[in-house]
Amino acid sequence: MSHGIDLRTVPYDHPDAVKLDDQVQLEYQERYQGEGDATFLDPAMFAPPYGLYLLAYDATGTPVASGGWRTQDENDEGYSDGDAELKRMYVVPQARGLGLARRILAVLEDDARAAGRHRMVLETGDQQPEAIALYLSSGYSPSAKFGHYRFHESSRCMTKPLLPTPSSPATPSSPAGV
């Protein structure tokens, strides 16, 4: 399913991350009639242990998917203490259907849980049915709106508790080695 795919931890401003971010912005513009995502994102927001940014590379070394999480705590945009916000989940069209988003999502959830976050939160839109289906099938539930687009009709917010995992043997690898 994900044979030949290498997940790597990179800074949010890594050139390959910027390339994929540019592609997802074009897709947002297409799906939402000219609007990209205007949420302010600073590369420092994704620096461990306060976040993590991952890229998936195919066997040729081409970046084909991205995703990250950043720390959120109670603020005037509706977040709660202990939140981890999912950002920039994206898979290039030619790599869709390979389970990459689900694989990235699982690593991000595990990392946020290990960092002491209690809940994963995300905001997507009604023009992204594939994303909504992924999150629902991964245990996310619709929630009250929060974030930059909380007042937009097309906004869809979801949350999932990051419950502690049963005791498991410590693994020597970091998310970069996943």
Side-chain angles (χ1 to χ4, degrees):
M1 178 164 79
S2 55
H3 190 278
I5 297 295
D6 180 30
L7 292 188
R8 299 181 203 162
T9 299
V10 300
Y12 179 69
D13 57 358
H14 182 284
D16 290 339
V18 171
K19 177 181 168 184
L20 288 183
D21 190 56
D22 289 346
Q23 290 178 31
V24 74
Q25 291 293 340
L26 289 173
E27 187 156 329
Y28 291 153
Q29 290 171 18
E30 204 173 278
R31 291 185 186 221
Y32 295 98
Q33 292 87 43
E35 293 183 32
D37 183 351
T39 304
F40 172 75
L41 297 177
D42 184 296
M45 295 174 173
F46 297 97
Y50 305 105
L52 183 70
Y53 204 75
L54 297 175
L55 292 183
Y57 289 86
D58 68 12
T60 69
T62 302
V64 294
S66 65
W69 75 268
R70 64 178 177 161
T71 293
Q72 288 286 8
D73 286 308
E74 187 173 349
N75 64 28
D76 61 2
E77 288 192 343
Y79 296 97
S80 297
D81 285 345
D83 282 352
E85 184 182 22
L86 199 61
K87 295 302 295 179
R88 295 299 188 262
M89 289 288 292
Y90 178 68
V91 178
V92 299
Q94 61 271 28
R96 292 179 184 167
L98 302 176
L100 297 179
R102 194 171 301 280
R103 186 172 163 198
I104 289 171
L105 182 62
V107 173
L108 294 173
E109 289 174 354
D110 287 347
D111 188 71
R113 184 182 298 108
R117 300 279 95 189
H118 307 295
R119 183 175 76 150
M120 189 68 89
V121 302
L122 66 92
E123 189 271 337
T124 188
D126 63 2
Q127 298 304 304
Q128 294 165 263
E130 314 90 336
I132 292 169
L134 167 71
Y135 299 129
L136 289 173
S137 70
S138 298
Y140 287 77
S141 300
S143 71
K145 291 184 179 185
F146 48 79
H148 185 80
Y149 290 99
R150 65 194 176 282
F151 301 119
H152 290 237
E153 178 60 34
S154 62
S155 172
R156 300 291 181 267
C157 292
M158 305 175 102
T159 64
K160 178 181 178 179
L162 293 175
L163 303 173
T165 55
S167 294
S168 58
T171 55
S173 66
S174 69
V178 174

